[in-house]
Amino acid sequence: MKFIEEIVVDAFLPTFRALLAEDLRDRGFTQSEVAEALGISQSAVSKYAHGEVATNERVADDPRVVDLVSRVGDGLATGDMTPVQALVEAEVLIRQLEEGDLLSDLHEEGMPELASHDGFRSIHDPEGRLRTVEQVRSSVRRGLRMLTNTSGFAGLIPNVGSNLVESLPDADSVDDVAAIPGRIFDVKGQATVPGEPEFGVSGHVAGVLLSARAAGADVNAALNIVYDAGVIEDLEAAGYECIEFDPDAPTDPVRELLAGRDLPETFVVYQSGGYGIEPITYILGPDAPAVADVVRVLL
């Protein structure tokens, strides 16, 4: 009796780890950094590097495995992907390959009695919440890197600070929106990010995003920056629709303003201030990198 988990342990894991170790070394990781990233010992990394660990050629040649190694290697190298997300992505691929696919084939070859059965029931959902949560965090990190690498972004941060937020696909509260805890501030001309993206830490920018979504806008991310007439003129000149709302309105001004409109993929809402209210511009779009990219037209 041979379990499919044995195929995973004997064929998939050593092959995947060997490929990923090689990928990370090619990206400049030291042996100790590779060991930390993979959660294995340095001696194990050395064995992978010297070909002392048996790998499976069919697993190594599968384009999905090759793609996963590249995505995980890039994500770990840039910091866009956490070890948790890397594990989830690998687990998802494993379950896909178990379901009447490569690992299922290897299992049946190792246990021919299985050929008369219909395969294996998937126990991991590729569209599960954990994977989606980690993908949203990763997207916010990519957007943040774009902003902090853009010269002059600090000058667009309002006094109250900026925040870059992105929601889960089915978001209906601020707990479903990832943002930067404590906001992004201009510290001596540098955009300072105080922490990793978390869910439920933005009330204001997340609230604007949720209001836009409630009005029917097909958006998942938002960024707030300073308001002045020149900013709006530059955004309009770049082709972005800019819509003003009244922050003193008694109800939800963004939702009421956007309801029923045929809105583009990326657009801007802004308010020019009110009693005790700092004027702010909000960029809304499909994901965090998309709204971060809009900033480049202002600099």
Side-chain angles (χ1 to χ4, degrees):
M1 182 169 61
K2 191 177 185 71
F3 291 94
I4 195 169
E5 285 80 3
E6 295 177 70
I7 303 297
V8 174
V9 171
D10 295 338
F12 182 90
L13 290 181
T15 304
F16 176 70
R17 282 174 171 161
L19 293 173
L20 185 53
E22 181 181 8
D23 182 275
L24 293 175
R25 288 301 299 269
D26 289 344
R27 295 176 189 275
F29 276 46
T30 65
Q31 185 167 296
S32 62
E33 289 172 337
V34 173
E36 182 179 359
L38 299 187
I40 58 179
S41 66
Q42 289 192 48
S43 62
V45 173
S46 178
K47 290 180 180 179
Y48 284 125
H50 291 90
E52 299 174 11
V53 176
T55 58
N56 184 284
E57 184 175 345
R58 287 167 64 184
V59 173
D61 291 340
D62 190 286
R64 293 161 296 182
V65 176
V66 174
D67 176 68
L68 178 63
V69 168
S70 178
R71 288 191 293 111
V72 169
D74 182 66
L76 293 176
T78 61
D80 287 343
M81 186 179 292
T82 66
V84 170
Q85 185 183 357
L87 174 63
V88 171
E89 295 293 331
E91 287 277 3
V92 167
L93 179 58
I94 288 170
R95 304 314 155 192
Q96 290 174 338
L97 296 180
E98 285 180 346
E99 188 71 20
D101 209 308
L102 175 60
L103 295 181
S104 177
D105 292 342
L106 294 174
H107 193 192
E108 291 183 4
E109 290 169 13
M111 193 173 180
E113 299 93 328
L114 292 170
S116 62
H117 296 275
D118 294 329
F120 308 92
R121 183 182 59 173
S122 176
I123 62 172
H124 281 217
D125 180 5
E127 303 303 325
R129 182 178 175 85
L130 177 57
R131 186 187 191 196
T132 304
V133 163
E134 289 299 326
Q135 288 175 329
V136 168
R137 290 185 201 269
S138 180
S139 180
V140 174
R141 291 189 194 97
R142 289 195 300 274
L144 279 172
R145 193 168 72 250
M146 292 170 63
L147 292 174
T148 55
N149 287 341
T150 299
S151 177
F153 168 64
L156 294 175
I157 299 175
N159 292 330
V160 295
S162 287
N163 216 326
L164 177 65
V165 308
E166 184 170 330
S167 68
L168 296 173
D170 57 353
D172 58 14
S173 76
V174 295
D175 291 333
D176 300 321
V177 181
I180 307 307
R183 303 183 186 178
I184 309 165
F185 285 98
D186 174 8
V187 178
K188 297 181 179 180
Q190 292 290 327
T192 301
V193 181
E196 282 285 292
E198 297 179 19
F199 282 83
V201 296
S202 170
H204 185 66
V205 182
V208 171
L209 173 61
L210 291 170
S211 292
R213 288 169 55 86
D218 187 16
V219 290
N220 296 307
L223 168 70
N224 69 312
I225 59 173
V226 296
Y227 162 82
D228 66 44
V231 165
I232 300 303
E233 288 174 3
D234 288 345
L235 290 170
E236 288 179 333
Y240 295 104
E241 182 174 352
C242 298
I243 307 166
E244 184 175 9
F245 68 92
D246 179 4
D248 291 319
T251 54
D252 186 336
V254 173
R255 181 173 181 175
E256 290 191 359
L257 182 68
L258 300 183
R261 285 178 178 258
D262 183 17
L263 295 164
E265 181 181 60
T266 303
F267 61 93
V268 175
V269 296
Y270 67 94
Q271 48 88 0
S272 55
Y275 181 73
I277 301 174
E278 182 181 5
I280 298 288
T281 303
Y282 302 88
I283 304 167
L284 296 104
D287 54 41
V291 297
D293 190 54
V294 175
V295 169
R296 296 179 179 180
V297 308
L298 300 172
L299 300 170

